[in-house]
Every structure is written in C-alpha cells, then in structure tokens.
Amino acid sequence: MRYLYPRLAAFGVALSALFTSGRAAEPIRPNIIFIMADDLGYGDLGSYGQTKIPTPHLDQLAAEGLRFTQAYAGSTVCAPSRNVLMTGRHTGHIEVRGNLKVGLRSSDETVASVLKSAGYATGIVGKWGLGYEGTDAVPTQKGFDFFFGYLDQTHAHNSYPSFLYRNEERITLPNVVPDEGKYGQGVATVRRTHSEDLFMTEAMGFIERHRDAPFYLYLPVTLPHANNEAGDDGMEAPPDSPRDFIDPSWPKPERDFAATVARLDADVGRIMAQLDELGIADHTLLVFTSDNGPHAEGGHDPAFFNSGGGLRGVKRDLYEGGVRIPLIARWPGQIAPATTTPQVTSFADFLPTFAALAGAPSSAIPAHDGIDLTDALHGHASSRDDAHTLYWEFYEGTSAQAIRFENWKAVRIPMFTGPIELYDLTNDVAETHDLAADHPAEVARADRLMAAAHVPNPLWKAPN
C-alpha cells in the first residue's frame, strides 16, 4: 500500500513497534508541512512566554501537539540555517556557511530529494536562499517538484518585490521598485501585492492539489524579517495584518513588528483550518519553527517584546538567543497533545527524521549529522552522542564557534584561536556564568569536538 492514513485512537504507537509476522510493517507515511518563520525569536509566541502579541493559532498548535524547549536552528542567520535544514549537515560540513552569494553544491542531496525518492510530491513556497537563477542549485534542481517565491535572501528583504519565481521562471508583479538591486532588493514606491499574500495562495493550492497522496510542503515565509534596505521603516507588515491589540503608544517599528507576527499566526491558522476542511489533519505532521533568533533590524528592538525570551544574544550571535528557537510539532493520533519535551534537537535532525517517517530507501539518504526524532515525537528520548553534537561556526563580523554537548554549551570567539567559554545550560540558560576555569576537562572536550566538527572550506576563512 502506497499511503496509509493513521487513525489511531490513542497515543503511544511508535513506528518502530509496527511489526507483523516478524516483518517490519510499512511505515505510516504522513504528509509533512514544515513552516519556518524568518527571524522569529524564542520568546515571540504565547506558548513560549510572549504576553503582548497574541498568537492564538500557534498556541492552539502547541496545545494540540508537542512543544520543544531545547530546539536549535542550523545557524544564526538565514542561508546557512537553511543549508543545514536541507542537507542534514551542520555548519562545519556545509557549503553555505554565511550569507555570501553561494549555493548548494551539485552533489548536495536535500530533504526534498530524499522524500521524492519515497514517492512524495514536494513543494516549496517562500524564501530559498541556497542557489541562484540559471544554476543547478535552484529548488527544482534539488528535489522540489514545485517552487514559488524568492531565490535570494537579499531579494526577500523586500516584501513588495517587482518579481518572484514560479519554478525557474520570473513572474512579474505590479509593485514598483525604483533603483532595484541586482537581486531584486530595494524599497517599493508602488505597493500593490505583498509576498505573504501570494505565498498563502500558492501554499494552500499545493495542499489542495496533493490532498490524496503523500506530500512534503516546505513553507519558509519571510515574516517577521525586516526590509533592511528601508532602514527604520523596514517592518513591511501585510496591509491586512491584525492590529486590534496594538497599543498606539508603541513605536511604529514595534507596531509593525507585532502586526507581522500576528499575521504569521493568522496564516498558520489558515493552514490548520484547511487541513481540517480537507479531512487530512490526522495524517499530516505539521511543524512550525524559525530559522534563527530575533533580529534587531527595521527599527525593531528585540528587547521591546522580549523576543529572545530571556536568552542571551540575538540574530548573528552564537549564544542561545541567536540559535535557540521555538519548535512545535502536531500529528493527531501520533503525537500526544499538550506535551513538552526537553529533547535537544537541531535542524540537522529533520532529514533523517522525515526520511524515516516516509520510509525512504536507505540508498537515497545521504550522510548527515542529525538523529532520527521519531522516538522524541512519540514522547521518548532520542539519544545523541558526540558524533551528532550540535555545532555552529559563523564568519560575519567577529567570527565564532559554538557546540552543545549534554548540558554544556561552549562558545569560542574568535573561532579556532579565542578562549573557550563554558556554560551549564541546565542551571544557566541565560549564559551568564562562564565555568571554563572550573571545568578544564569539559573545555578540553569542547576543543576536541570543535576541531572534529570543522572541515575546512576555501570559501570560509576565519578573520585574523
């Protein structure tokens, strides 16, 4: 049978336990929808402590599913974080380790290509950021049957672009962007169509078209990212964003930031409602997360709404605030509702997890740095050893490295040569007490793990 729709009345039936007559049964193959916000902080959702911006639909998603408290992005900025997500390799192993204009390698397999090999229809709507027009690193050359959105992350700053892409063709939009940059970036003077409106139309159309067969929809929206080219007016909220809760005394960038988060929440609610209307919610794994920590762009001050949730650092930092993210997973009948897990996880884990859920052939699964989270989704710990530690390296401004192993987090600034800072995240999630002097053995271990995780790449050299 090509596709099994799970209608389990009780939680706790793990995929690994599905055996018949000594043979492993065909895996339950859910639709997979992966929604990724852009620059949404750990503290920007009500289910993660936000008190000023209402996020009722995402809070409902958490109430109906599993909320991770120790989930990490692939990087602290857009492009490398997406590279980790797509390939299952951490930033010591990938090609796109920062926001330079480079793309995936010809040899890179992706989550999409793995799921396509398992018979899934695959689509992406939103921001790609991993390859450019006319190259073999565009989504339709990397396992996706369908693409609509931005190829370039700088282009994606502009929520009112003059064009977007459908598959490999430019689609002209009625917005006017004078002095448009090479990649389409700029500030529109005529604003007729917001990209988020188009994303929702295309995403819901993809779901409708593939309602009767297993599909993977990757939905990397651009909210609440700012238009960096617009300076302090860069929070380009969609015009119909909810605003009834906004205090008029808030600074304009904060009013607009709040509106973008509220609109993001409303759009997730639209996806949830569509799944119910189509009768496929029970056989759809819906995942929501963010690509990195909160930004301080477009006039937005992440402290205003406590976007970092009390964590140290923001986007472009390797402290927790830059890389720890909200992560919610819902799959009725398979994931217990209203549950929370301390499972340590990163973007590298989604390739092996989705491959396992889809029953992808082992020959189609590339080497990766992640672990299978199937047990974690079912309420049990998924083990992580030193070969699968969470590692980050970052090259913008002052370079840095960080690694998470067990309860320890080590940060080194600058990378390779700086002193190693050591934090016990069980007792100091805000990373306020450097314990390196008290734990030389763990510092030495962090040094070894960092050295093992880094593979040199000629594109990425640490500043002297």
Side-chain angles (χ1 to χ4, degrees), residues 109-458:
E109 298 294 330
T110 68
V111 174
S113 59
V114 171
L115 293 182
K116 189 176 176 68
S117 74
Y120 275 58
T122 56
I124 168 177
V125 176
K127 180 167 82 171
W128 176 238
L130 296 174
Y132 299 93
E133 194 173 29
T135 73
D136 64 358
V138 297
T140 47
Q141 300 294 322
K142 287 298 178 184
F144 286 98
D145 300 316
F146 175 77
F147 165 60
F148 182 87
Y150 301 94
L151 285 176
D152 175 66
Q153 62 264 19
T154 309
H155 185 203
H157 292 173
N158 183 6
S159 293
Y160 293 93
S162 66
F163 67 93
L164 288 171
Y165 293 89
R166 177 174 283 110
N167 297 323
E168 298 185 33
E169 296 183 8
R170 287 194 181 197
I171 303 300
T172 301
L173 302 180
N175 304 313
V176 177
V177 185
D179 302 317
E180 188 175 70
K182 177 181 178 181
Y183 297 97
Q185 71 272 28
V187 180
T189 54
V190 176
R191 300 181 174 190
R192 294 196 175 101
T193 304
H194 195 288
S195 59
E196 181 72 8
D197 296 333
L198 299 176
F199 292 165
M200 290 307 298
T201 298
E202 295 288 346
M204 296 178 76
F206 181 87
I207 293 170
E208 171 68 33
R209 292 194 300 275
H210 298 286
R211 59 186 294 181
D212 295 324
F215 66 81
Y216 168 57
L217 173 61
Y218 173 39
L219 185 52
V221 299
T222 55
L223 302 179
H225 199 295
N227 187 345
N228 297 31
E229 284 67 45
D232 287 349
D233 291 324
M235 293 309 309
E236 296 178 334
D240 60 347
S241 298
R243 289 180 177 267
D244 57 329
F245 66 93
I246 291 176
D247 187 332
S249 70
W250 294 349
K252 183 179 184 303
E254 306 308 346
R255 299 197 302 269
D256 291 340
F257 175 84
T260 65
V261 174
R263 170 59 189 272
L264 171 65
D265 176 77
D267 285 347
V268 173
R270 291 175 64 189
I271 297 290
M272 294 166 67
Q274 183 189 27
L275 296 177
D276 287 337
E277 291 166 3
L278 295 177
I280 60 174
D282 286 354
H283 40 271
T284 300
L285 171 61
L286 178 57
V287 180
F288 176 87
T289 190
S290 177
D291 66 342
N292 47 248
H295 69 72
E297 299 161 359
H300 171 55
D301 178 1
F304 190 87
F305 295 113
N306 190 27
S307 291
L311 302 176
R312 178 180 178 180
V314 294
K315 177 182 179 180
R316 297 186 179 84
D317 292 321
L318 291 185
Y319 295 108
E320 293 291 282
V323 291
R324 190 181 289 212
I325 50 173
L327 175 63
I328 302 168
R330 186 194 73 168
W331 184 6
Q334 293 287 324
I335 293 176
T339 50
T340 300
T341 178
Q343 173 74 48
V344 176
T345 183
S346 91
F347 277 5
D349 297 335
F350 286 107
L351 186 148
T353 302
F354 292 166
L357 293 175
S362 58
S363 60
I365 303 173
H368 53 80
D369 299 313
I371 62 172
D372 180 359
L373 296 175
T374 299
D375 286 344
L377 294 177
H378 289 95
H380 310 288
S382 293
S383 61
R384 171 165 252 116
D385 57 22
D386 281 358
H388 299 88
T389 51
L390 278 59
Y391 173 76
W392 304 267
E393 54 186 50
F394 190 56
Y395 295 81
E396 295 181 17
T398 302
S399 67
Q401 290 171 288
I403 199 159
R404 170 75 194 262
F405 55 101
E406 298 170 358
N407 60 306
W408 299 106
K409 169 84 173 291
V411 179
R412 178 156 55 190
I413 306 171
M415 65 169 61
F416 308 136
T417 60
I420 292 177
E421 305 166 28
L422 186 70
Y423 301 97
D424 177 0
L425 296 183
T426 300
N427 300 303
D428 181 26
V429 71
E431 296 169 296
T432 58
H433 302 291
D434 180 2
L435 301 178
D438 300 326
H439 297 275
E442 300 303 338
V443 171
R445 182 182 176 192
D447 190 23
R448 291 194 301 271
L449 290 173
M450 287 180 177
H454 171 75
V455 173
N457 184 305

